[in-house]
Amino acid sequence: MRQQHVPVSAQPNREKQHRMTAAICSIILQGLGQLYNRQWIKGIVLLLLEGAGLAYLLPRLSQAVWGIWTLGENTQRFVKVNGSTVLQKGDHSIFLLLDGIIVLLVFFVFVLVYILNIRDAYMTGLAREQGKPTLGAAATMRNVMDKNFPYLFLSIPALGILFFTIMPILFTVTIAFTNYAAPDHIPPAKLVDWVGFKTFTDLIQLKSWSQTFYGVLTWTVIWAVLATVTTYFGGVLVALLIEQKGIRFKKLWRTIFILPYAIPQIISLLLMRNLFNGQFGPINTYMRAFGLEGLPWLTDPFWAKVTVIVVNMWIGIPVSMVLILGVLTAIPRDLYEAAEVDGASAFQKFKIITMPFILFATTPVLIMQFAGNFNNFNVIFLLTNGNPLRGDYQYAGATDLLVTWLYKLTLDNNRFNMASAVGIIIFLIIATFSIWNFRRSKSFKEEDMIQ
């Protein structure tokens, strides 16, 4: 009987199964696929990592999910034991929430490593199918140090960011959806409950809170705009005056105007606080000496706002001046020469050449300055502490910004849920404003214009 010929290409090739077999092994047990691919050290290390991860997660994961879901069920209370009254510990809602977030982040890292382990086993199996040699321990280390060193090096700070930056942010966000506030919901004596968006609705709609929120928000926006505009254009003006032709001792002028920036801000602000003291401050003392009536610089709502803006100009203009001086030196001189040939005036040269170059180079910094002034904690806190007080505000004064109000809500009054809601609102405002304006700026659209 004639035997039928089977093409070589149609014959089953067991070598084609390396990638799938390795991947399936890694799905079953982390590191098993690497052992199948004869990567012994890598496989053992991954097995140990899985063992350590399971040893941490198995006794904690269900408790973490329960803690986040319920925020505890039993309160701290006194009970009778053998005729004696003892304190029985209850569930601490905030600890349960914090521990739950940490455990879930560890679980996220564990799953990520597990997925990467499967991919690594699959790719190594694919390399074996293509006839490439399997990398041994030494070759793997060389590959890691040469090609994958950036990933290895960046993974360490990435873990730090995950647990020291993202974790606190998640914790703060979740607090905003609870009723964690004094005096009725402070653990362990009391439990904390999930309340959804009630904190946000109270902040916006409840009169006792909404009046404070809208008042502080309005002043925060006004302050951010005025503080940014005055310091930026003040810096532009000073830089242009210094760079004018015929100005002598330019280095001396630069040194003089940079001194307020060189002095630590906390010293300048505390000094200004004493200078503007309404009763004993030198400014009012000199005004009275000349027959003028002293002004309530820090005790009247209007004059307190004027004072913080003026002091911020004193601190902020030197920063803008240094920035603008650097931009002015980069503008090509031949543009001005061509403008002079065309008969352009000084104002026209400023409008057509100088200001467009300045704005193009400094728009991202200008956006950052606005965001920084929106959250300018130091100037307000050190100069006025948010005062003078207002009786119709909840825990806030006339010069309080959202960020200083948040500080008072948290550390002075234990209104943690309201403070978390304010923090989320600050983030949404700043992120939206910064991204929208940056994407509309010429610095973003025409980043290759100046080379």
Side-chain angles (χ1 to χ4, degrees), residues 27-41:
I27 293 174
I28 297 173
L29 191 63
Q30 180 174 290
L32 193 59
Q34 284 72 19
L35 295 177
Y36 170 81
N37 288 325
R38 302 185 182 91
Q39 293 180 309
W40 311 113
I41 296 180

Side-chain angles (χ1 to χ4, degrees), residues 181-218:
D184 298 326
H185 296 281
I186 296 294
K190 302 290 184 179
L191 292 176
V192 175
D193 304 309
W194 293 110
V195 295
F197 288 92
K198 184 178 184 301
T199 304
F200 294 90
T201 56
D202 288 348
L203 187 64
I204 296 173
Q205 297 178 359
L206 195 63
K207 184 177 180 180
S208 59
W209 285 101
S210 62
Q211 184 175 1
T212 309
F213 172 71
Y214 289 119
V216 174
L217 176 61
T218 302

